[in-house]
Amino acid sequence: MTTGFERGAAFVDGRFVPVDEARVPITDVGFSRSDVTYDVVGVWDGAFFRLDDHLARFERSCAGLRLRLPFSRAETTEILMRLVRLSGLRESYVDVICTRGVPRDGSRDPRTFENRFYAYAIPYVWILRPEDAETGMDAVIAATVRRIPASSVDPTVKNFHWGDLTKGLYEAYDRGARYPILLDHDGYVTEGSGYNVFAMVGGELLTPEAGALEGITRRTVLELAAEEGIRARSAAISEQAFRGATELFATSTAGGVMPITSLDGEPVGAGLPGQVTSLLRERYWQAHKDPRYLTPVDYGPAPAH
Ligand code: PLP
């Protein structure tokens, strides 16, 4: 039996619709001015991973942009549950979006807009597919673009100001690679197009302390590293230190812990996923069975056959 929701489900204008039918009003300034924030939470094996942490970050992002969420945390959770239930997906990429909305009577005053909430659940998205984990990511340090300054666009507020990241992506492709990593204007490492980065430097695991999104996967990795007795912390990482790292990896909800095996065409370490990287990758997926991180989805009664 088909439900129409197999490719995903969306919540738009208070209605649940198949994701391919979801439409955004063209006058919503989320679309035309990038006046929007969002968050992405994963569903793995039928349970949300760190749902409250994602929703708390989403609320902070909204507050950072002076957006008013029209739904409470409990209502949002209910909507997301229903989206995943409708889709029937056991592994899903669940996106929540809050836009400034549609101007009333031609007003340009953002205070007068009615902020809008959208959400959708689609099949899980991989930045690096699991079958490619051993090969790893081919990354470049972007030479043609720097991360937009945090004083202009706060990277801890999840945003769609992706001009710099998209330019980095094109540079990576032009150079025969796929994954850009951007420096800030002082030459320190920030993040990539949809992922945080980690580097093993002098026997310590480092991740940029500023200039990047405070990723939930990044946080999970820092917690797991502490549990494993791996020395890990956030710090300023110079380009030189990053280039000298013995291991590199990227982290994202869309793919977890992803080894970086080459940088600017040169192998990282032995050109294979490093020991610490592999251990944390394994622990990351084990954590997806740990009840303290999970919010199980109620899929309702199994369909009769
Ligand atoms: N950095 C950027 C720019 C991102 O867009 C993302 C995720 O979309 C991340 C980092 C990783 O964040 P998380 O681990 O919360 O998915």
Side-chain angles (χ1 to χ4, degrees):
M1 195 189 73
T2 56
T3 62
F5 287 99
E6 285 78 10
R7 286 163 53 79
F11 179 81
V12 177
D13 270 341
R15 292 196 314 128
F16 292 87
V17 294
V19 72
D20 294 332
E21 290 171 24
R23 298 285 179 271
V24 176
I26 202 159
T27 48
D28 188 329
V29 295
F31 170 69
S32 60
R33 298 276 184 276
S34 207
D35 195 348
V36 52
T37 189
Y38 74 115
D39 216 284
V40 174
V41 53
V43 169
W44 196 256
D45 199 13
F48 285 95
F49 186 69
R50 305 197 75 155
L51 177 60
D52 267 318
D53 293 324
H54 281 279
L55 291 181
R57 183 175 66 181
F58 183 49
E59 289 161 10
R60 283 197 302 278
S61 292
C62 288
L65 296 178
R66 301 174 71 165
L67 290 165
R68 288 173 306 275
L69 266 176
F71 297 107
S72 68
R73 174 96 58 102
E75 287 166 335
T76 305
T77 301
E78 222 7 83
I79 291 166
L80 300 190
M81 284 284 178
R82 186 151 165 211
L83 284 173
V84 179
R85 186 159 57 233
L86 275 170
S87 75
L89 293 165
R90 305 281 308 172
E91 275 80 38
S92 179
Y93 174 102
V94 181
D95 204 325
V96 287
I97 302 165
C98 185
T99 66
R100 187 78 55 202
V102 175
R104 274 200 219 138
D105 308 325
S107 166
R108 289 170 55 87
D109 179 346
R111 295 170 302 179
T112 65
F113 290 33
E114 195 173 321
N115 304 157
R116 296 171 73 102
F117 174 83
Y118 305 90
Y120 61 86
I122 56 172
Y124 191 81
V125 172
W126 296 95
I127 290 178
L128 180 74
R129 289 176 309 173
E131 58 269 36
D132 296 332
E134 282 307 306
T135 317
M137 297 163 86
D138 44 9
V140 296
I141 296 185
T144 58
V145 61
R146 296 274 163 129
R147 191 82 174 102
I148 192 169
S151 53
S152 301
V153 174
D154 180 353
T156 68
V157 170
K158 210 161 154 59
N159 66 75
F160 288 151
H161 293 270
W162 266 55
D164 51 356
L165 299 174
T166 303
K167 191 169 178 195
L169 268 170
Y170 271 97
E171 180 185 329
Y173 288 125
D174 288 346
R175 292 169 59 190
R178 287 169 297 173
Y179 300 99
I181 295 164
L182 271 58
L183 303 175
D184 67 15
H185 285 272
D186 296 317
Y188 291 98
V189 173
T190 63
E191 60 187 335
S193 49
Y195 40 87
N196 290 111
V197 291
F198 282 81
M200 276 300 281
V201 179
E204 242 190 332
L205 185 61
L206 303 180
T207 187
E209 67 184 352
L213 181 72
E214 289 169 355
I216 304 292
T217 320
R218 170 183 179 271
R219 189 192 307 174
T220 306
V221 163
L222 289 170
E223 289 170 9
L224 295 174
E227 284 174 23
E228 291 296 321
I230 298 163
R231 281 169 57 211
R233 65 188 169 93
S234 58
I237 309 175
S238 68
E239 178 181 356
Q240 196 191 9
F242 197 75
R243 287 190 185 283
T246 50
E247 295 187 30
L248 295 176
F249 63 86
T251 61
S252 169
T253 297
V257 175
M258 302 172 286
I260 297 172
T261 49
S262 78
L263 187 65
D264 287 350
E266 296 293 325
V268 176
L272 295 166
Q275 230 180 336
V276 172
T277 307
S278 299
L279 172 68
L280 289 169
R281 181 164 175 268
E282 198 184 312
R283 291 286 294 107
Y284 178 74
W285 289 109
Q286 280 169 0
H288 285 66
K289 298 189 191 319
D290 184 339
R292 76 189 144 133
Y293 290 133
L294 305 181
T295 309
V297 177
D298 175 5
Y299 287 91
H305 290 290

